[in-house]
């Protein structure tokens, strides 16, 4: 952490440098948020059966609370972001977790609070020491659910009350449940000491359009002090000088005015000054996200992450269940393009009922299309649902983690089998555009040959950067060298565009880099045809594109 100090004539100002999670400016007093973790004492109990019943009752209350949180989050941040609370409720039903608590109460004759707290600490430590980043992240979830059960046992409630006036929340760390419970009308922004840009809380901040920083020490003595959260520079300024305060108020006002101006772009074409039309689409993970796509006037959906259908269930979603979801999205988009990515399970997206073995390097392991081509029954079920839904809208299909022409030909063979089955059964479907994700260096180098096999490419810049730089994008220790602007990454994107166009294949970008306005002109100069981003970025990108003359770049 870097800290700079500035001395004024009449006051003392401090500026703390962190990492920005979401751009924007927040001005207000600091509210130091302390979890107020209870000191749980070990107490001897005479009736362990009664204590087990107390635990069971508290567990059920915690699950009820989590279900309420899910409903609240569903309205505020959409189905994908709300899913974490379903996961927490499922974790509370885990046999190993419950058995550990019950066994401790019964064998050691201790109070339920102590058994829950100790089990939470033990499991959390176990997960934290694992090498896999996905399991490391679960350590925080275990702590969160255990603290919730302890609070239920002691009668302590967490209501998210931030006081009477809007504040900037400063905390050591924030669990997703704590973020969702806070009164949004009183939340100007938040700053945490711990966490990463890929944490659930960071994702919620971006979804709710709340300026946020991480990596700044949570000092209790800052409570109540006037502060500026500058999401653009990643800076927290305490007790700002008058001239800086006025400057940032002006910046804040400009932000508000820019948002109003952006709303005027709704209904306008996404076209450059010299007439190049760009397809500006949105990324989603569920049916409920479609309203954000329509509200921000995206021209279509460039990435529907279908794996969330699998992540949210306890068993494989049926063909009918998938069909209803795909059909609903297609109908809601009313003829606009909807690109659905086939399931991308594996790596950091684990599903228990898939029974995937633990891997030393899951990001490069058994995942995505590799699972589909190995377990063709799962793949065919999804393809049947997708083709059936194609009769109700403009659906395209995209396949992730491709590394060879041979894989694409295997996919096409399975697709033809599915189409033949549907025709034989008299089930209607439309012809569907077929595309692939370019997210491995192998796919980049083979892109000219691959372009001859498919209709479009969509570049997944998150994984492409990870694999090109050999850097785990979920490891916060490597954030300082993870560089999505690396020349090697940009050269690969250029190569893909050129090779795709040689074979008449349109090329888009659906990774986080697509929303990076500092690169928009670079992508237009490269000849990128489509950008697919989070719905909230659509209008800002449209503004940038409409101000560009590609011939002058």
């Amino acid at each position: 952490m870097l800290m700079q100090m500035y001395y004024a004539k009449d006051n003392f100002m401090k500026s703390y440098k962190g990492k920005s999670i979401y751009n924007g400016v927040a001005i207000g007093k600091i509210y130091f948020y302390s979890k107020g973790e209870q000191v749980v004492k070990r107490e001897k109990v005479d009736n362990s059966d009664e204590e087990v019943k107390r635990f069971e009752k508290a567990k059920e209350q915690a699950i009820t609370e989590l279900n309420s949180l899910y409903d609240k989050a569903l309205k505020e941040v959409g189905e994908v972001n709300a899913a974490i609370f379903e996961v927490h409720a499922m974790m509370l039903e885990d046999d190993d977790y419950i058995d550990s608590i019950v066994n401790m109460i019964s064998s050691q004759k201790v109070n339920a609070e102590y058994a829950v707290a100790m089990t939470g600490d033990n499991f959390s430590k176990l997960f934290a020491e694992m090498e896999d980043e996905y399991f490391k992240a679960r350590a925080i979830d275990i702590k969160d659910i255990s603290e919730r059960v302890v609070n239920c046992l002691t009668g302590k409630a967490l209501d998210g009350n931030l006081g009477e006036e809007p504040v900037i929340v400063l905390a050591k760390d924030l669990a997703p449940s704590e973020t969702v419970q806070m009164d949004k009308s009183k939340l100007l922004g938040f700053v945490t000491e711990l966490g990463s840009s890929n944490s659930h809380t960071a994702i919620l901040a971006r979804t709710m359009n709340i300026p946020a920083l991480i990596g700044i020490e949570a000092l209790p003595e800052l409570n109540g002090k006037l502060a500026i959260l500058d999401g653009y520079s990643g800076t927290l300024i305490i007790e700002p000088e008058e001239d800086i305060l006025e400057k940032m108020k002006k910046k804040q006002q400009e932000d508000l005015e820019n948002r109003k101006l952006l709303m005027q772009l709704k209904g306008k074409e996404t076209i450059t000054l010299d007439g190049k039309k760009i397809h500006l689409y949105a990324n989603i993970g569920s049916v409920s996200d479609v309203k954000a796509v329509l509200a921000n006037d995206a021209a279509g959906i460039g990435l529907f992450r279908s794996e969330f259908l699998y992540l949210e269930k306890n068993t494989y979603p049926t063909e009918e269940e998938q069909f209803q979801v795909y059909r609903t999205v297609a109908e809601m988009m009313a003829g606009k393009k909807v690109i659905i990515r086939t399931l991308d399970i594996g790596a950091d997206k684990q599903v228990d009922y898939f029974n995937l073995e633990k891997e030393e390097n899951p990001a490069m392991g058994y995942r995505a299309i590799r699972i589909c081509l190995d377990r063709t029954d799962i793949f065919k079920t999804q393809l049947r649902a997708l083709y059936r839904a194609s009769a109700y809208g403009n659906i395209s299909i995209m396949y992730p983690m491709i590394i060879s022409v041979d894989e694409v030909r295997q996919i096409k063979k399975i697709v033809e089998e599915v189409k033949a089955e549907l025709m034989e059964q008299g089930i209607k479907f439309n012809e569907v555009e077929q595309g692939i994700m370019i997210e491995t260096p192998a796919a980049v180098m083979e892109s000219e040959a691959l372009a001859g096999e498919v209709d479009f490419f969509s570049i997944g810049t998150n994984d492409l950067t990870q694999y090109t730089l050999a850097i785990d994008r979920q490891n916060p220790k490597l954030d300082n060298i993870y560089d999505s602007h690396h020349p090697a990454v940009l050269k690969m994107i250029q190569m893909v565009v050129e090779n795709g166009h040689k074979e008449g294949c349109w090329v888009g970008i659906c990774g986080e880099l697509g929303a990076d306005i500092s690169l928009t002109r670079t992508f237009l100069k490269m000849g990128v045809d489509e950008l697919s981003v989070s719905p909230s970025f659509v209008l800002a990108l449209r503004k940038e594109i409409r101000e560009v003359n590609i011939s002058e770049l």
Side-chain angles (χ1 to χ4, degrees), residues 79 284-291 304 324-326 328-329 332:
E79 192 171 343
I284 68 167
S286 69
V287 173
S288 63
D289 294 336
V290 175
K291 62 179 180 292
F304 182 172
Q324 292 297 342
V325 169
Y326 305 145
T328 300
V329 173
M332 289 174 75

Side-chain angles (χ1 to χ4, degrees), residues 123 245 290 347 512:
F123 274 66
L245 183 59
V290 175
E512 293 289 324

Side-chain angles (χ1 to χ4, degrees), residues 51-66 92 112-113 116 145-146 148-155:
E51 211 62 19
V52 169
K53 287 179 183 177
R54 281 188 68 230
F55 160 66
E56 291 287 353
K57 184 179 178 182
K59 176 175 73 73
E60 292 306 316
Q61 182 184 334
I63 291 172
T64 301
E65 289 179 3
L66 287 165
L92 277 174
E113 291 89 340
V116 171
I145 64 170
S146 298
R148 181 172 294 280
V149 176
V150 170
N151 287 332
C152 291
L153 284 164
T154 59

Side-chain angles (χ1 to χ4, degrees), residues 439-441 444 459-468 492-493:
E439 48 196 335
T440 65
V444 173
I459 303 172
T461 55
N462 302 350
D463 270 332
L464 182 60
T465 303
Q466 172 174 246
Y467 296 133
T468 301
M492 285 190 166
I493 294 172

Side-chain angles (χ1 to χ4, degrees), residues 31 33 72 157-163 167 169 177-184 186-187:
Y31 178 92
Y33 181 83
K72 186 174 189 292
L158 293 173
D159 59 6
N161 182 25
L162 298 176
V167 292
V169 171
S177 57
E178 293 168 322
T179 309
V180 168
Q181 283 178 149
M182 290 176 180
D183 183 350
K184 303 306 172 295
K186 302 290 172 55
L187 183 59

Side-chain angles (χ1 to χ4, degrees), residues 372-423:
C372 290
L373 292 178
D374 185 44
R375 303 185 184 182
T376 53
D377 53 334
I378 298 172
F379 193 30
K380 279 188 171 182
T381 298
Q382 181 171 34
L383 288 173
R384 282 180 59 90
L386 286 165
Y387 266 90
R388 286 174 59 195
S390 71
Y392 299 87
N394 184 7
I395 285 179
S396 299
I397 304 176
M398 176 164 71
Y399 307 99
M401 279 297 291
I402 298 297
I403 62 170
S404 69
V405 169
D406 184 55
E407 284 176 332
V408 175
R409 289 176 179 164
Q410 287 182 62
I411 291 167
K412 290 166 80 172
K413 182 180 177 183
I414 294 169
V415 165
E416 289 306 313
E417 290 173 4
V418 166
K419 288 164 65 176
E421 289 173 7
L422 293 174
M423 288 175 69

Side-chain angles (χ1 to χ4, degrees), residues 441-499:
V444 173
M445 302 310 292
E446 285 288 287
S447 54
E448 187 171 355
L450 288 166
E453 299 287 336
V454 297
D455 301 305
F456 68 92
F457 290 155
S458 189
I459 303 172
T461 55
N462 302 350
D463 270 332
L464 182 60
T465 303
Q466 172 174 246
Y467 296 133
T468 301
L469 304 184
I471 291 176
D472 182 353
R473 63 189 173 96
Q474 296 201 70
N475 188 339
K477 291 180 181 177
L478 301 176
D479 275 356
N480 61 324
I481 59 171
Y482 180 87
D483 179 15
S484 56
H485 290 217
H486 194 287
V489 176
L490 298 180
K491 285 177 183 176
M492 285 190 166
I493 294 172
Q494 179 72 75
M495 184 187 296
V496 171
V497 174
E498 291 173 358
N499 286 339

